[in-house]
Amino acid sequence: MKSNPFVRRIVWPVRRRWRGLTPRAGILMYHRVGAEAVDPWNLCVSPERFEQQIELLARRRAAVDLGAFAGEGVADRTGSKLAVTFDDAYRDNLEVALPILERHGVPATFFVISDALGRTREFWWDALCRAVLESDAVPTALEITLGGRNHWFTINDDSATTRAATRWIADREDPRTGRERLYMDLWNAIVLLPPAEQDVAVDAILLWAGMPLAGPESRRPATREQIAALAGHPLVRIGNHTRNHPSLPDHDAARQRDEIAGCQRALEDLVGGPIDRMSYPFGRNNAASGHIIAELGIPVACTSYPAAVTRATPRHQLPRMQVLDQDGDRFARWLRDDHALLEGKA
């Protein structure tokens, strides 16, 4: 599609000029290093492509620890500095990603859900995906109790018996089929439940779909022992990702405090030192979240808003850019063209 002449002549030059005058830096957000056939939230980057991305950061000498974002000095006019972060502390972060980071000398922050450590089951969002989107066929109707209320869901097309032939990305596309609509309706309801009820709900949905309750071990979170062993690692810092990964703004201040401060205490006890960084689950936060972070003395907290960081960015509202499963060349173009980062000479 051709661009508007006004955009080419006026908007793009102004945008480039603004970028050249605005010091900036970037924070990269990863979740998993692995491969899944069904990945509605784009959580996975393959090991091969992750290595290409990390090699680029190492070659450009771009990688810095997230702690550098507590001040303003990390930003410059070419966007030459980036921090690597991982949310949720999946097991593959330690078993697959960390050796790659070590090989290239690139630092990273692992944001840990403290109460999830050592769980022998997958996270609820992965279990829901397995039940609704990965099963070969599901019934056309589902009756389930969520939050003390009975809910009826129906699939009104042939997607109940046929899996989608092409990939669907939930945060970029509207549901295309009845099965995808069911997935989103259930996700939006389950995210608001207490942790124990989330597990009960997805177990019921797995049984409804005829899927085993036990998911792949590769989708499980790291163990306490794995995280404790990282204390003192020269490239790794551990960060607060709450006790149970709730949607913080959907809970009162007391519940938020329990989640954030409880995780802080648990992780500091586990690693034997202070935790000086936070990542909001789902990137969601409100004024109460910010007050709690400030009271705990945590200098930096990350959202999932996809943008570069400037000197004016509040340090408790740091944006992060989710990295997709793309090779090193496309990764470099994405950083440069979409976010004005790594614009200097290679």
Side-chain angles (χ1 to χ4, degrees), residues 267-302:
L267 293 181
E268 288 180 344
D269 288 345
L270 184 61
V271 303
I275 300 297
D276 64 354
R277 55 202 67 192
M278 164 84 186
S279 168
Y280 302 110
F282 310 109
R284 300 176 179 179
N285 64 97
N286 60 11
S289 318
H291 290 319
I292 296 164
I293 297 296
E295 289 173 7
L296 291 172
I298 301 174
V300 293
C302 297

Side-chain angles (χ1 to χ4, degrees), residues 224-243:
R224 289 178 56 83
E225 293 75 18
Q226 285 178 308
I227 298 300
L230 294 176
H233 192 293
L235 294 175
V236 174
R237 296 293 182 270
I238 301 301
N240 184 329
H241 203 35
T242 72
R243 292 180 56 200

